[in-house]
Amino acid sequence: MLHRVVSACPLDCPDVCSLIVTVEDGVVVSVEGNPAHPVTRGAICNKGRNLIKNGTHPGRIKTPMLKQAGVWCAITWAEALDLFYNKLKESVSQYGSLSILHAAGDGSAGLIKQRLPKRFFNQLGGVTEPGGSLCWGAGIAAQKADFGLAAAPSWKDITKAKTILLWGRDPATTNIHLLPYINEARQAGAQVIVINPLKVPSLKFADKHLAVRPGTDGLLALAMAQVIIAENLTDGSFCAANVNGYQEYARMAAGYRPASIAEIVGVDADEICEVARTYAQARPASIILGYGLQRYEHGGATIRAIDALAAITGQIGKPGAGVHYANRLWGQFGKEIAASEQTRNTREIPWAQLAARLPELDPPIKVLVVDRGNPVNQMADSTKTRTALLQIPFKVAIDYYLTDTAEIADLFLPATGNFEEEDLVVSSWNEYIYYKPAITRQPFSEYGIWQYLAKRFGLGAEWEQEHSAWLKTTLNSYGVTLTDLQEKGFLLNPNAENTAFTNGKFLTDSGKFELLGAEAIRNLIVGCQSMVSSSKAQHKKLVLITPHRRHSLNSQHFPPQDSPGPVIKLNPVDGQNAGLAEGDSAVIETTVGKLVLPVSLDAGILAGVAVIEQGGWLKDGLGVNLITESRNTDIGDQVAFYHTFCTVRKA
């Protein structure tokens, strides 16, 4: 018998869709977009449709397994949980709770899946965690420095814009539900300008394309600021009342005229001037930022240089203006579940430094717990990461499959699927909260794992309660009932607002927008220049960009043996220089490793750039992070994946 249920997509994606799930005889048979949702509007991408795979794929593992003498053996849940508890207890008793490394990913946006494990470890005393981010950390830190908090306006605010800069963002590939808002603005006369090293699919919606060199966006922003300031296109009254550091910033920006930096950024000086004037004069203007922008060593300063354009033109807190990166206020809904205030001690090691620092930690790491993540695959310099994690005496992975990370574990615990456990889903990009019911069920639950452990450790009566009680308590604290949310499937986030900073008051210590200073600008320039000098070096190194695939999110959508083989995309000029033709096998080499991949020649790729889409599994020979270098960004402890240079030759 068929029936339909409203649910939500739990992927860590800007769109966070409301779903209509069709179930037949207890099995999910289709997933479609919910036409009643204001953002989803009935449309979803293949990533959402492929959520079914994790529940039905024949390679999914539904039984706990223990590695014995290098061989995986099935064990009972009782045996698995008892072993998990005893290993944690032994580690805490002998070395303290900091001897546990909890490496959580973002494979699910469910509040219970995300935050109850953190609550458990916080109540246990606090553990060691990777600090910073594999995704957006430099940009979040940059906007905290500038605004006091990353707090993007609502997407519907974009419809009021007269100019839209898609700066590093390609919504046609990774954010399709943003497109209707952009198109509505276009129909009302707005110009759309794409600033991106690649000829991305979103160009079909654009009026202009600036093909900036990778990693030089911050310098481009400074040159635009120079034009805006020199031609008196700033908002003087806004700057005087609401901006700190304007005089020093203006003095520094004056040294970066478009003509002097055009060769570095790869954009004609006249085009830089034209876009600067359009942004400052065709108001209101919205800047929509992507996440590749900040995956360089100077990534934080890059975002701050772009934020500064909005500040000096007074385009903050006004409908149709602002800078869209993320909204941490929305994403903080339900943060109290994690009980961060209950921890006694924590230790953070930046992701980029984790592999190098693990051997020297005191107390040492004795237990690794990985849930919702695949760090061996997703961390830069995967070989070094894998080698370091292998040295940890006992490793636990909670997942659907034996991923690259789960393969090195000692204990494997099956994860519940996308439609198998009740949860709430919250977004840092659109202003809704969602209910995700348990549509189908397994004889196990992830909540049951943490509940069992908490009860064994005696962490309090709250862990006796049913799964849904956590949801009710969280919602009630915001004046929402679980019944209200269940009836519709989604509600407006209680923290939502359409336009951020409307009162001109910022969340910085000064209460004003903080422009980046002279030191940050100098570091930015050094970083931008390094991107160009490396590509002109003796060995003709190419900047390696490793973006997301259109139909997958990181390594999540690739069950065993389903991992599609990537190619290396090169400009035909670079292909010719390396003696490579279409379809040839190429050796791509960096300071940390090499890959052999087929070549695809593409005139849409800038000369001096190599593109390999990420997400393939290492054990299939397809993991691009085998060759990315593990570097840290200037702020935010973001991994600077794109600050990697490679050579290419015929295999």
Side-chain angles (χ1 to χ4, degrees), residues 9-176:
C9 181
L11 297 177
D12 186 35
C13 165
D15 297 50
V16 187
C17 293
S18 179
L19 305 176
I20 302 294
V21 180
T22 301
V23 184
E24 182 175 14
D25 298 328
V27 178
V28 175
V29 294
S30 71
V31 179
E32 301 297 332
N34 184 356
H37 189 268
V39 175
T40 306
R41 305 185 191 188
I44 59 171
C45 68
N46 282 343
K47 294 189 287 289
R49 292 191 183 90
N50 285 337
L51 290 172
I52 297 176
K53 277 187 179 181
N54 287 337
T56 61
H57 193 279
R60 181 184 176 189
I61 301 170
K62 299 182 181 181
T63 303
M65 297 195 300
L66 178 65
K67 190 179 289 178
Q68 296 177 315
V71 178
W72 285 108
C73 302
I75 59 175
T76 67
W77 271 101
E79 291 170 328
L81 293 178
D82 187 60
L83 176 63
F84 194 0
Y85 165 73
N86 283 316
K87 289 294 184 181
L88 291 176
K89 182 182 178 183
E90 177 184 318
S91 186
V92 172
S93 298
Q94 295 184 19
Y95 299 96
S97 61
L98 292 183
S99 64
I100 299 166
L101 172 61
H102 180 213
D106 290 304
S108 171
L111 287 190
I112 299 300
K113 271 205 176 191
Q114 283 183 321
R115 292 172 185 171
L116 271 186
K118 291 185 72 69
R119 185 183 193 92
F120 167 75
F121 285 118
N122 283 333
Q123 291 180 341
L124 195 62
V127 297
T128 301
E129 296 178 331
S133 171
L134 297 180
C135 179
W136 65 356
I140 293 294
Q143 294 214 316
K144 182 177 181 180
D146 293 339
F147 298 95
L149 181 74
S154 167
W155 288 353
K156 59 177 175 268
D157 200 58
I158 293 168
T159 63
K160 303 178 180 69
K162 295 302 180 186
T163 302
I164 299 171
L165 303 188
L166 287 176
W167 206 321
R169 180 79 70 94
D170 179 24
T173 298
T174 59
N175 191 185
I176 61 173

Side-chain angles (χ1 to χ4, degrees), residues 269-490:
D270 290 340
E271 285 192 300
I272 297 172
C273 293
E274 178 187 343
V275 170
R277 292 170 186 140
T278 298
Y279 174 75
Q281 294 177 309
R283 306 184 186 198
S286 288
I287 299 176
I288 304 173
L289 297 174
Y291 299 98
L293 288 168
Q294 40 94 62
R295 290 177 182 162
Y296 302 90
E297 287 185 330
H298 51 289
T302 294
I303 300 297
R304 296 197 67 191
I306 298 171
D307 287 348
L309 295 173
I312 65 173
T313 57
Q315 301 205 74
I316 301 172
K318 299 171 183 175
V323 183
H324 294 253
Y325 187 76
N327 194 305
R328 297 297 282 159
L329 187 63
W330 304 341
Q332 288 173 1
F333 179 92
K335 68 177 182 179
E336 59 275 5
I337 296 175
S340 298
E341 75 285 353
Q342 295 187 35
T343 187
R344 294 189 297 275
N345 198 6
T346 57
R347 177 171 61 183
E348 285 195 355
I349 312 298
W351 272 112
Q353 302 170 21
L354 185 63
R357 291 182 57 185
L358 271 179
E360 65 190 36
L361 294 180
D362 183 20
I365 300 299
K366 293 297 180 179
V367 177
L368 167 68
V369 181
V370 179
D371 65 291
R372 298 177 296 106
N374 189 7
V376 169
N377 180 283
Q378 288 296 293
M379 180 54 205
D381 195 353
S382 291
T383 300
K384 187 174 183 179
T385 300
R386 185 179 187 276
T387 300
L389 296 181
L390 269 171
Q391 305 310 307
I392 298 173
F394 192 75
K395 300 168 287 295
V396 182
I398 303 173
D399 215 307
Y400 303 120
Y401 312 109
L402 287 176
T403 63
D404 292 321
T405 302
E407 281 279 15
I408 71 167
D410 302 286
L411 177 65
F412 178 91
L413 299 177
T416 45
N418 300 293
F419 305 118
E420 296 171 356
E421 199 158 26
E422 187 181 33
D423 214 332
L424 304 178
V425 178
V426 176
S427 173
S428 287
W429 297 278
N430 74 55
E431 62 267 49
Y432 292 90
I433 58 174
Y434 304 77
Y435 176 65
K436 191 167 71 69
I439 300 172
T440 60
R441 293 186 183 273
Q442 294 292 338
F444 56 85
S445 78
E446 280 182 63
Y447 173 57
I449 296 172
W450 306 109
Q451 184 183 47
Y452 173 90
L453 294 172
K455 289 164 71 173
R456 287 289 300 269
F457 276 103
L459 296 183
E462 64 184 10
W463 289 97
E464 300 284 349
Q465 64 188 346
E466 293 296 320
H467 187 280
S468 60
W470 295 96
L471 307 183
K472 292 175 183 177
T473 301
T474 300
L475 290 169
N476 290 346
S477 69
Y478 290 88
V480 179
T481 70
L482 181 58
T483 302
D484 291 340
L485 188 55
Q486 287 172 328
E487 285 179 357
K488 192 173 183 180
F490 61 89

Side-chain angles (χ1 to χ4, degrees), residues 540-579:
K540 303 286 185 184
K541 290 184 178 179
L542 309 179
V543 179
L544 178 60
I545 297 179
T546 55
H548 290 124
R549 299 169 187 259
R550 181 179 178 84
H551 299 305
S552 66
L553 191 60
N554 303 317
S555 63
Q556 281 183 263
H557 289 91
F558 303 138
Q561 285 78 55
D562 286 1
S563 182
V567 299
I568 179 169
K569 298 178 183 179
L570 299 172
N571 184 279
V573 172
D574 290 322
Q576 183 178 20
N577 289 340

Side-chain angles (χ1 to χ4, degrees), residues 227-307:
V227 174
I228 291 167
I229 294 168
E231 298 184 6
N232 200 28
L233 302 177
T234 60
D235 185 330
S237 59
F238 183 88
C239 289
N242 303 303
V243 177
N244 254 355
Y246 177 78
Q247 294 302 325
E248 180 183 45
Y249 174 80
R251 178 179 59 80
M252 292 292 293
Y256 300 101
R257 294 176 297 104
S260 67
I261 60 92
E263 184 177 358
I264 296 174
V265 302
V267 179
D268 183 78
D270 290 340
E271 285 192 300
I272 297 172
C273 293
E274 178 187 343
V275 170
R277 292 170 186 140
T278 298
Y279 174 75
Q281 294 177 309
R283 306 184 186 198
S286 288
I287 299 176
I288 304 173
L289 297 174
Y291 299 98
L293 288 168
Q294 40 94 62
R295 290 177 182 162
Y296 302 90
E297 287 185 330
H298 51 289
T302 294
I303 300 297
R304 296 197 67 191
I306 298 171
D307 287 348

